[in-house]
């Protein structure tokens, strides 16, 4: 019956999110011996301006590193 | 003082969400004997590609059933 | 497929929480025309010292009113 | 290691959200003596039609007051 | 930078929860190509009386099946 | 009307949590120009065995550092 909520930065490829759902579902089913149908996964994409670690937003961190936001 | 967070699939009619808020507020007020003004309800619409049960997204389930996503 | 998370102050009667679950499930099923089995409700009890409105915890509010914490 | 999730009504200025993140991070660091880098803050903007207090949505409350939604 | 919140029924073995954390972290790292250190996982155990599917709590479902709560 | 959910590791002093609530409320009120009474803060303490960063739980990290869990 596990319930999984995953927050990731916005802007990922749809295929990436789909694979994430599959892998996490499998991880839950295997380790908890749960019936697959009972595992519910919801993914939320967070704008990089709205997520901060240590008061640095993901958008700002990407600017500093001179590259695209990663992970 | 109850706080209610409801996640539903995206794409519903605005009227449907409005009625949901009213009905859930009423349900909370009645069963908890709470002052109506203290009941806070927040509804989040989740894209059907981002919600999966048993590793089947709601978008995929709708395709299989040959009809619109329901629930 | 709706998912409902409800936070209430700790210390309520178990029967009260059980009735809350029933009433909210019914409210969701009716207004969204959802299959009952797909409605998932999770209730969390929050200690009254850990919940504040306007920087007054529920525990403090109960002291001021000279009565038990309500709603 | 604190984790902070903040929900605000949609439609605020980006600068307002950025200042919110800074102020909340500082508040957490100061009161918990936490290493700044470990403080994670995520802000979610909720449409005013999807947030209700006492079965009045923020959108409706703004109409009644004849002004823009506030706070 | 992914953030994962997992809700499971209460009463599982600590080893089970620990394995769950490892497997889910691995699933996220692999599919999102995320730096492991940035993946944050928080598991919450929900009392079986406080979680219901279709207005049947996990505690009630266990009684009906005549066995311990599963998954 | 802001809503703040804060997760911290379990085992902090009650005074620390109380100060956290005050400081975060003040931070929200100041930066969003919100009416104090509308700011709702809920703090959740997470057992150190149930929170992991990079597949290392807070409990394990404390063992490695040879000291109490900090953050």
């Amino acid at each position: 019956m596990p319930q999984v909520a995953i927050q990731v930065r916005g802007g990922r490829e749809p295929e990436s999110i789909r694979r994430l759902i599959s892998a996490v579902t499998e991880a839950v089913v295997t380790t908890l011996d749960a019936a697959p149908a009972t595992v519910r996964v919801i993914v939320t994409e967070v704008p990089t301006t709205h997520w901060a670690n240590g008061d640095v937003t993901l958008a700002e961190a990407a600017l500093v590193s001179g590259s695209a936001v990663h992970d």
Side-chain angles (χ1 to χ4, degrees), chain A:
Chain A
M1 220 59 71
Q3 175 80 20
V4 185
I6 310 177
Q7 288 175 299
V8 299
R9 65 162 174 77
R12 292 180 182 284
E13 296 297 315
E15 294 75 16
S16 176
I17 290 176
R18 188 62 191 85
R19 283 194 300 267
L20 171 66
I21 291 172
S22 287
V24 168
T25 301
E26 172 72 14
V28 172
V29 166
T30 304
T31 56
L32 297 187
D33 195 25
T38 67
V39 180
R40 188 173 278 192
V41 177
I42 295 177
V43 178
T44 304
E45 296 191 72
V46 179
T48 57
T49 51
H50 286 52
W51 181 322
N53 299 297
D55 200 22
V56 179
T57 67
L58 299 185
E60 293 162 352
L63 283 178
V64 169
S65 71
S67 64
V69 177
H70 48 258
D71 72 286

PDB file of all heavy atoms in Angstrom, chain A residues 19-31:
ATOM      1  N   ARG A  19      10.841   6.656 -16.456  1.00  0.00           N
ATOM      2  CA  ARG A  19      11.772   5.631 -15.953  1.00  0.00           C
ATOM      3  C   ARG A  19      11.902   5.702 -14.427  1.00  0.00           C
ATOM      4  O   ARG A  19      12.042   4.686 -13.759  1.00  0.00           O
ATOM      5  CB  ARG A  19      13.148   5.806 -16.602  1.00  0.00           C
ATOM      6  CG  ARG A  19      13.245   5.297 -18.026  1.00  0.00           C
ATOM      7  CD  ARG A  19      14.691   5.181 -18.484  1.00  0.00           C
ATOM      8  NE  ARG A  19      15.380   6.459 -18.439  1.00  0.00           N
ATOM      9  CZ  ARG A  19      15.472   7.312 -19.461  1.00  0.00           C
ATOM     10  NH1 ARG A  19      14.920   7.016 -20.633  1.00  0.00           N
ATOM     11  NH2 ARG A  19      16.118   8.447 -19.333  1.00  0.00           N
ATOM     12  N   LEU A  20      11.888   6.912 -13.928  1.00  0.00           N
ATOM     13  CA  LEU A  20      11.949   7.097 -12.472  1.00  0.00           C
ATOM     14  C   LEU A  20      10.786   6.369 -11.796  1.00  0.00           C
ATOM     15  O   LEU A  20      10.978   5.651 -10.803  1.00  0.00           O
ATOM     16  CB  LEU A  20      11.884   8.599 -12.156  1.00  0.00           C
ATOM     17  CG  LEU A  20      11.729   8.994 -10.694  1.00  0.00           C
ATOM     18  CD1 LEU A  20      12.969   8.612  -9.890  1.00  0.00           C
ATOM     19  CD2 LEU A  20      11.446  10.490 -10.563  1.00  0.00           C
ATOM     20  N   ILE A  21       9.602   6.560 -12.348  1.00  0.00           N
ATOM     21  CA  ILE A  21       8.421   5.911 -11.767  1.00  0.00           C
ATOM     22  C   ILE A  21       8.584   4.394 -11.760  1.00  0.00           C
ATOM     23  O   ILE A  21       8.307   3.725 -10.755  1.00  0.00           O
ATOM     24  CB  ILE A  21       7.142   6.321 -12.540  1.00  0.00           C
ATOM     25  CG1 ILE A  21       6.825   7.800 -12.297  1.00  0.00           C
ATOM     26  CG2 ILE A  21       5.959   5.444 -12.163  1.00  0.00           C
ATOM     27  CD1 ILE A  21       5.686   8.349 -13.157  1.00  0.00           C
ATOM     28  N   SER A  22       9.042   3.855 -12.859  1.00  0.00           N
ATOM     29  CA  SER A  22       9.216   2.394 -12.942  1.00  0.00           C
ATOM     30  C   SER A  22      10.249   1.895 -11.936  1.00  0.00           C
ATOM     31  O   SER A  22      10.024   0.893 -11.234  1.00  0.00           O
ATOM     32  CB  SER A  22       9.657   1.991 -14.357  1.00  0.00           C
ATOM     33  OG  SER A  22       8.585   2.099 -15.268  1.00  0.00           O
ATOM     34  N   ALA A  23      11.355   2.579 -11.870  1.00  0.00           N
ATOM     35  CA  ALA A  23      12.440   2.110 -10.998  1.00  0.00           C
ATOM     36  C   ALA A  23      12.063   2.211  -9.527  1.00  0.00           C
ATOM     37  O   ALA A  23      12.365   1.315  -8.730  1.00  0.00           O
ATOM     38  CB  ALA A  23      13.714   2.914 -11.288  1.00  0.00           C
ATOM     39  N   VAL A  24      11.387   3.285  -9.174  1.00  0.00           N
ATOM     40  CA  VAL A  24      10.997   3.450  -7.773  1.00  0.00           C
ATOM     41  C   VAL A  24       9.909   2.436  -7.407  1.00  0.00           C
ATOM     42  O   VAL A  24       9.936   1.849  -6.313  1.00  0.00           O
ATOM     43  CB  VAL A  24      10.540   4.896  -7.494  1.00  0.00           C
ATOM     44  CG1 VAL A  24       9.863   5.000  -6.134  1.00  0.00           C
ATOM     45  CG2 VAL A  24      11.732   5.843  -7.567  1.00  0.00           C
ATOM     46  N   THR A  25       8.975   2.224  -8.307  1.00  0.00           N
ATOM     47  CA  THR A  25       7.943   1.225  -8.033  1.00  0.00           C
ATOM     48  C   THR A  25       8.582  -0.142  -7.798  1.00  0.00           C
ATOM     49  O   THR A  25       8.255  -0.839  -6.820  1.00  0.00           O
ATOM     50  CB  THR A  25       6.944   1.132  -9.215  1.00  0.00           C
ATOM     51  OG1 THR A  25       6.340   2.407  -9.419  1.00  0.00           O
ATOM     52  CG2 THR A  25       5.860   0.095  -8.934  1.00  0.00           C
ATOM     53  N   GLU A  26       9.496  -0.488  -8.670  1.00  0.00           N
ATOM     54  CA  GLU A  26      10.197  -1.768  -8.528  1.00  0.00           C
ATOM     55  C   GLU A  26      10.965  -1.846  -7.198  1.00  0.00           C
ATOM     56  O   GLU A  26      10.952  -2.871  -6.508  1.00  0.00           O
ATOM     57  CB  GLU A  26      11.192  -1.936  -9.696  1.00  0.00           C
ATOM     58  CG  GLU A  26      12.134  -3.112  -9.600  1.00  0.00           C
ATOM     59  CD  GLU A  26      11.446  -4.449  -9.820  1.00  0.00           C
ATOM     60  OE1 GLU A  26      10.296  -4.428 -10.315  1.00  0.00           O
ATOM     61  OE2 GLU A  26      12.034  -5.493  -9.477  1.00  0.00           O
ATOM     62  N   ALA A  27      11.592  -0.755  -6.824  1.00  0.00           N
ATOM     63  CA  ALA A  27      12.359  -0.720  -5.565  1.00  0.00           C
ATOM     64  C   ALA A  27      11.447  -0.958  -4.362  1.00  0.00           C
ATOM     65  O   ALA A  27      11.805  -1.671  -3.415  1.00  0.00           O
ATOM     66  CB  ALA A  27      13.082   0.619  -5.429  1.00  0.00           C
ATOM     67  N   VAL A  28      10.269  -0.367  -4.419  1.00  0.00           N
ATOM     68  CA  VAL A  28       9.321  -0.517  -3.306  1.00  0.00           C
ATOM     69  C   VAL A  28       8.767  -1.932  -3.263  1.00  0.00           C
ATOM     70  O   VAL A  28       8.695  -2.561  -2.201  1.00  0.00           O
ATOM     71  CB  VAL A  28       8.175   0.513  -3.440  1.00  0.00           C
ATOM     72  CG1 VAL A  28       7.092   0.235  -2.416  1.00  0.00           C
ATOM     73  CG2 VAL A  28       8.716   1.927  -3.294  1.00  0.00           C
ATOM     74  N   VAL A  29       8.383  -2.435  -4.417  1.00  0.00           N
ATOM     75  CA  VAL A  29       7.797  -3.780  -4.483  1.00  0.00           C
ATOM     76  C   VAL A  29       8.787  -4.820  -3.967  1.00  0.00           C
ATOM     77  O   VAL A  29       8.439  -5.716  -3.186  1.00  0.00           O
ATOM     78  CB  VAL A  29       7.385  -4.108  -5.941  1.00  0.00           C
ATOM     79  CG1 VAL A  29       7.101  -5.594  -6.109  1.00  0.00           C
ATOM     80  CG2 VAL A  29       6.179  -3.273  -6.337  1.00  0.00           C
ATOM     81  N   THR A  30      10.025  -4.680  -4.375  1.00  0.00           N
ATOM     82  CA  THR A  30      11.040  -5.663  -4.009  1.00  0.00           C
ATOM     83  C   THR A  30      11.383  -5.627  -2.528  1.00  0.00           C
ATOM     84  O   THR A  30      11.449  -6.665  -1.861  1.00  0.00           O
ATOM     85  CB  THR A  30      12.334  -5.405  -4.819  1.00  0.00           C
ATOM     86  OG1 THR A  30      12.003  -5.428  -6.206  1.00  0.00           O
ATOM     87  CG2 THR A  30      13.397  -6.444  -4.508  1.00  0.00           C
ATOM     88  N   THR A  31      11.586  -4.446  -2.010  1.00  0.00           N
ATOM     89  CA  THR A  31      12.063  -4.379  -0.620  1.00  0.00           C
ATOM     90  C   THR A  31      10.957  -4.536   0.410  1.00  0.00           C
ATOM     91  O   THR A  31      11.216  -4.947   1.537  1.00  0.00           O
ATOM     92  CB  THR A  31      12.805  -3.052  -0.355  1.00  0.00           C
ATOM     93  OG1 THR A  31      11.954  -1.960  -0.679  1.00  0.00           O
ATOM     94  CG2 THR A  31      14.077  -2.984  -1.191  1.00  0.00           C
TER      95      THR A  31
END
